[in-house]
Amino acid sequence: MGPLPRTLELFYDVLSPYSWLGFEILCRYQHLWNVDLHLRPCLIGGIMKDSGNKPPALLPSKAQYLATDLKNLREHYQVPISFPKDFFAVILEKGSLSAMRFLTAVHLECPEMLEKTSRELWMRVWSRVSTGTVGDLWPLPRLLGWPPDGRAHPPPHTHTLFSLCSQDEDITEPQSILAAAEKAGMSREQAQGILEKISSPTVKNQLKESTAAACKYGAFGLPVTVAHVEGQTHMLFGSDRMELLAFLLGEKWMGPVPAASHARM
């Protein structure tokens, strides 16, 4: 009897920047570790509701940490991640329902395109870097309760938080989703055909089932990696548990950008 297969499930939402980091690491390591990686699009809002959790950026101190943390992780993970200019509008108001339904439909219709399409949607939210003055780039005025009178200037102590932010490309409108799919390599006709199915009961139910599966594993945020190793199941939260994942797999951790990997970024 041969060794039991080793399967990893990655539950993610493109609104989660840490999901993008975990996604890239697992894509880089899946062949090095000889694991069967299953990408599982789900809805972070459903997980937050089920667990009673709230987005960390709703607390000012965590929001400040998030901005600086992502700037550092951008370099360490070699993923072109940047902060949206209008965090509230992009993350908390627009959401990702249409995008995650589209990825669910991609998963059902042409799973070989799921990795590239997911990456392109992340790129629209969290990349497309532009530069400018600190005042122009300040992404968290409302989030941090500043300024109270609606002026567009950050408080003095925040001037050194970071110097890059994204252009806030949309992921909610049909044309935006089609643009991401085409950039990932789909034909216009294929992308349009998949887009037309995102309101179908099959796609809606599949997204609900994937979200519910993450919750059953104990998810309270994203990303969640579920490792099935030697008949045991391990749930790991976050993009910073990959060294522990390597330990559970009995594999070597070589940092977020292993020399033998073929990084796609």
Side-chain angles (χ1 to χ4, degrees):
M1 184 175 179
L4 292 172
R6 303 186 304 172
T7 302
L8 301 180
E9 297 178 83
L10 176 67
F11 293 88
Y12 67 95
D13 186 317
V14 295
L15 280 190
S16 164
Y18 293 98
S19 286
W20 189 10
L21 299 175
F23 169 92
E24 295 298 349
I25 290 177
L26 291 182
C27 286
R28 293 167 184 172
Y29 270 94
Q30 60 179 320
H31 300 301
L32 296 175
W33 287 345
N34 191 28
V35 293
D36 187 12
L37 176 61
H38 292 229
L39 300 176
R40 301 288 303 272
C42 61
L43 204 59
I44 193 168
I47 291 174
M48 292 293 186
K49 182 178 180 180
D50 180 82
S51 65
N53 198 3
K54 293 182 180 180
L58 288 179
L59 294 177
S61 59
K62 287 187 178 181
Q64 286 186 309
Y65 177 79
L66 179 64
T68 53
D69 191 41
L70 291 181
K71 182 182 177 182
N72 291 330
L73 290 172
R74 170 189 177 92
E75 305 301 326
H76 182 55
Y77 283 66
Q78 294 186 24
V79 175
I81 198 166
S82 302
F83 218 93
K85 287 182 180 179
D86 193 340
F87 184 88
F88 260 128
V90 173
I91 307 301
L92 301 179
E93 294 174 8
K94 292 183 178 181
S96 61
L97 180 59
S98 294
M100 298 316 294
R101 283 180 177 173
F102 184 77
L103 289 178
T104 299
V106 171
H107 193 192
L108 293 172
E109 297 291 322
C110 50
E112 71 278 3
M113 293 300 300
L114 182 57
E115 178 185 332
K116 290 183 178 179
T117 308
S118 298
R119 183 177 290 112
E120 288 302 328
L121 286 169
W122 263 307
M123 291 285 287
R124 293 186 68 85
V125 181
W126 293 101
S127 195
R128 314 301 189 211
V129 173
S130 61
T131 59
T133 66
V134 174
D136 292 335
L137 296 177
W138 175 242
L140 298 172
R142 286 183 290 163
L143 191 58
L144 299 180
W146 182 275
D149 58 2
R151 292 173 299 168
H153 300 288
H157 66 279
T158 60
H159 278 237
T160 59
L161 272 180
F162 52 91
S163 59
L164 296 174
C165 71
S166 74
Q167 296 177 354
D168 295 5
E169 291 186 352
D170 177 72
I171 60 166
T172 62
E173 298 296 329
Q175 292 305 314
S176 301
I177 295 173
L178 289 175
E182 289 183 63
K183 196 168 181 62
M186 286 191 200
S187 67
R188 183 77 175 185
E189 294 73 20
Q190 182 184 27
Q192 184 65 53
I194 293 174
L195 184 64
E196 291 172 358
K197 297 180 180 181
I198 67 171
S199 295
S200 69
T202 299
V203 170
K204 289 182 177 180
N205 290 336
Q206 182 60 54
L207 182 58
K208 289 178 181 177
E209 289 174 10
S210 294
T211 304
C215 293
K216 288 180 181 178
Y217 282 125
F220 50 87
L222 293 175
V224 161
T225 304
V226 178
H228 304 277
V229 185
E230 297 182 353
Q232 294 186 326
T233 297
H234 308 273
M235 190 279 276
L236 305 175
F237 169 72
S239 59
D240 57 351
R241 294 294 184 269
M242 298 305 171
E243 187 171 1
L244 175 58
L245 176 60
F247 169 76
L248 294 172
L249 292 169
E251 296 287 354
K252 183 179 180 181
W253 171 246
M254 296 173 282
V257 189
S261 74
H262 299 285
R264 301 167 175 78
M265 301 311 300

